[in-house]
Amino acid sequence: MHTILAVDDSASMRKMVSFTLVGAGFQVVEAVDGVDAFEKAQKQKFDLVLTDQNMPRLDGIGLVRKLREQPAYATTPILILTTESSDQMKQAGRAAGATGWLVKPFDPNRLIEVIRKVIR
């Protein structure tokens, strides 16, 4: 079973994402922001990271950069799930090493489809 790290400062969004992913057969660990996520990623290896962009302490793009510096996360799929949809923001995400960019509100079926495509 694949384990996904779901990162969002909104408790309700984390719950919706977790509910969707657990229902699709994934194990989910939640993190409240980028710092919390990075600490959890040091203790446990995740098959995929799904992160919000706008969060306190460490945003999604910052988290992607920090994870990509870790050999264990050099090739792990990292998806950014956010309300941000500007091309400039998406390019910054790609430049940081994000695998993909999804815009909220998310379609649960589409989210699962994308995850199944990129997860190893």
Side-chain angles (χ1 to χ4, degrees):
M1 180 185 291
H2 292 294
T3 306
I4 296 173
L5 179 59
V7 191
D8 202 304
D9 56 321
S10 159
S12 59
M13 184 53 72
R14 280 195 314 274
K15 292 295 171 221
M16 282 194 324
V17 167
S18 284
F19 179 80
T20 300
L21 299 179
V22 168
F26 296 105
Q27 256 185 315
V28 178
V29 173
E30 296 179 15
V32 298
D33 62 26
V35 172
D36 184 34
F38 188 72
E39 287 168 359
K40 287 179 174 165
Q42 298 303 294
K43 296 179 185 127
Q44 180 181 351
K45 176 73 174 101
F46 295 97
D47 301 299
L48 182 136
V49 178
L50 181 66
T51 183
D52 184 21
Q53 165 53 21
N54 298 316
M55 299 179 290
R57 298 201 306 160
L58 181 63
D59 67 13
I61 290 173
L63 174 61
V64 171
R65 279 195 195 101
K66 281 187 73 127
L67 287 173
R68 289 295 185 223
E69 290 168 359
Q70 307 299 308
Y73 287 94
T75 60
T76 302
I78 305 175
L79 300 174
I80 297 180
L81 176 64
T82 181
T83 54
E84 296 280 349
S85 60
S86 74
D87 287 340
Q88 190 177 0
M89 207 48 132
K90 289 177 185 173
Q91 283 174 339
R94 261 194 302 276
T99 309
W101 192 279
L102 300 159
V103 178
K104 293 177 190 171
F106 69 94
D107 169 353
N109 294 328
R110 175 89 180 108
L111 177 63
I112 290 161
E113 181 186 314
V114 169
I115 288 172
R116 289 208 168 116
K117 250 183 219 161
V118 299
I119 208 163
R120 292 171 182 76

